[in-house]
Amino acid sequence: MSRVASSPLALHRFRPYFQAAPRSLSLVATPSAVQFRPGKRGLRIVACEANPNPTESSTSEKLVLEPSSENDSTTDQSTGPSPNVGLPDVPNKSFNKQIAVVSALAAVALFLSGRLDFGVSLKDLTAAALPYEEALANGKPTVVEFYADWCEVCRELAPDIYKVEQQYKDKVNFVMLNVDNTKWEQELDEFGVEGIPHFAFLDRQGNEEGNVVGRLPRKYLLENVDALARGESSVPHARVVGQYSSAEARKVHQVVDPRSHG
């Protein structure tokens, strides 16, 4: 029968002890070093270390058990997606009313701005025009426009005519003759009006220097009127024809006021 040696060198002596670490509930054991370190959850890391010196009379083993952080569950919950994050607010009725009011105000402002720039009508031009006989007698050059209330091109060009008239009204006469008025039959034949609007450019003596017919860029009218205002012997655009309404479609009516220049 074999003997079991009782020598202290043959057997390792274990002197276990337990030590409670404050706030971490740690369990420590010696000899030999065994460490359990928590990862994010529970016991994830195990480290073993043998006694490097077996001749020592005592060795140590150390066991460290630490519970997972008591804030892990709280952290996981706080980092989880919130059910209301990223969802747009549903517009309420008051917000919709504000949008409607702002849209209405914008529409009114747009209408008014368009009215100020482009709201000039043929009636406005006729009211501001000089009578034909007076224009021929005052010694200024004259622009005569033959028009009709039903002429679409005439209505479209009214804002451009108004702007040029406001620029040169002190130097040039502006006359409006309605082709529906039988009073102007002689002038229609004299100036050879076949389409409207028809613009005739007269010098200071009442002689025609040129004419422009129909829808054309404003520069044609502007350059001709400028030449008249400067007393040029001719206009740069003596005969230009654009899109126009036929004068043969005029609606002849009885003259209400023979003195009317419209």
Side-chain angles (χ1 to χ4, degrees), residues 179-190 250 252:
V179 298
D180 288 337
N181 193 332
T182 56
K183 176 183 178 179
W184 310 117
E185 288 292 339
Q186 182 179 345
E187 283 71 21
L188 289 173
D189 293 337
E190 179 182 347
R250 58 184 176 162
V252 179

Side-chain angles (χ1 to χ4, degrees), residues 159-177:
D160 290 339
I161 305 304
Y162 177 79
K163 292 178 181 179
V164 175
E165 180 180 329
Q166 293 301 308
Q167 185 175 351
Y168 291 95
K169 63 182 179 180
D170 295 333
K171 299 179 180 180
V172 179
N173 301 318
F174 289 87
V175 176
M176 300 283 292
L177 300 183

Side-chain angles (χ1 to χ4, degrees), residues 21 24-28 33-49 62-69 72:
S24 63
L25 300 178
S26 299
L27 180 62
V28 180
V34 179
Q35 296 183 356
F36 295 87
R37 297 185 181 277
K40 187 175 181 181
R41 293 264 185 194
L43 302 178
R44 301 291 178 83
I45 302 173
V46 178
C48 298
E49 182 178 358
K62 187 176 182 180
L63 177 63
V64 180
L65 300 177
E66 293 182 1
S68 60
S69 174
D72 287 347

Side-chain angles (χ1 to χ4, degrees), residues 5-239:
S6 61
S7 173
L9 296 177
L11 296 177
H12 291 286
R13 296 181 180 179
F14 294 90
R15 291 184 298 176
Y17 69 93
F18 298 90
Q19 178 180 353
R23 302 177 59 89
S24 63
L25 300 178
S26 299
L27 180 62
V28 180
T30 58
S32 211
V34 179
Q35 296 183 356
F36 295 87
R37 297 185 181 277
K40 187 175 181 181
R41 293 264 185 194
L43 302 178
R44 301 291 178 83
I45 302 173
V46 178
C48 298
E49 182 178 358
N51 187 357
N53 190 1
T55 60
E56 294 181 357
S57 60
S58 64
T59 59
S60 63
E61 288 184 4
K62 187 176 182 180
L63 177 63
V64 180
L65 300 177
E66 293 182 1
S68 60
S69 174
E70 50 188 35
N71 294 329
D72 287 347
S73 60
T74 306
T75 304
D76 292 341
Q77 293 178 359
S78 62
T79 57
S82 175
N84 295 327
V85 173
L87 295 179
D89 295 335
V90 179
N92 51 29
K93 292 183 178 180
S94 61
F95 181 72
N96 292 335
K97 289 181 179 179
Q98 292 177 0
I99 293 179
V101 171
V102 172
S103 301
L105 292 177
V108 171
L110 181 62
F111 172 78
L112 292 178
S113 62
R115 183 66 180 173
L116 291 176
D117 293 337
F118 307 104
V120 179
S121 65
L122 289 173
K123 292 182 179 180
D124 298 329
L125 295 179
T126 302
L130 199 66
Y132 181 61
E133 295 82 1
E134 183 179 342
L136 295 179
N138 65 10
K140 293 181 180 181
T142 302
V143 177
V144 180
E145 178 184 357
F146 294 89
Y147 77 100
D149 293 333
W150 47 265
C151 173
E152 181 180 353
V153 180
C154 301
R155 293 195 297 266
E156 291 179 2
L157 295 181
D160 290 339
I161 305 304
Y162 177 79
K163 292 178 181 179
V164 175
E165 180 180 329
Q166 293 301 308
Q167 185 175 351
Y168 291 95
K169 63 182 179 180
D170 295 333
K171 299 179 180 180
V172 179
N173 301 318
F174 289 87
V175 176
M176 300 283 292
L177 300 183
N178 193 332
V179 298
D180 288 337
N181 193 332
T182 56
K183 176 183 178 179
W184 310 117
E185 288 292 339
Q186 182 179 345
E187 283 71 21
L188 289 173
D189 293 337
E190 179 182 347
F191 291 100
V193 178
E194 296 180 354
I196 54 176
H198 180 111
F199 301 93
F201 303 94
L202 312 181
D203 60 15
R204 299 178 185 274
Q205 290 75 36
N207 301 316
E208 184 181 17
E209 296 187 1
N211 59 74
V212 172
V213 180
R215 181 191 290 113
L216 292 167
R218 185 174 61 175
K219 72 172 186 176
Y220 289 92
L221 177 64
L222 182 61
E223 292 175 358
N224 280 3
V225 173
D226 184 69
L228 290 179
R230 291 185 288 105
E232 298 290 337
S233 59
S234 61
V235 293
H237 309 288
R239 178 64 178 173

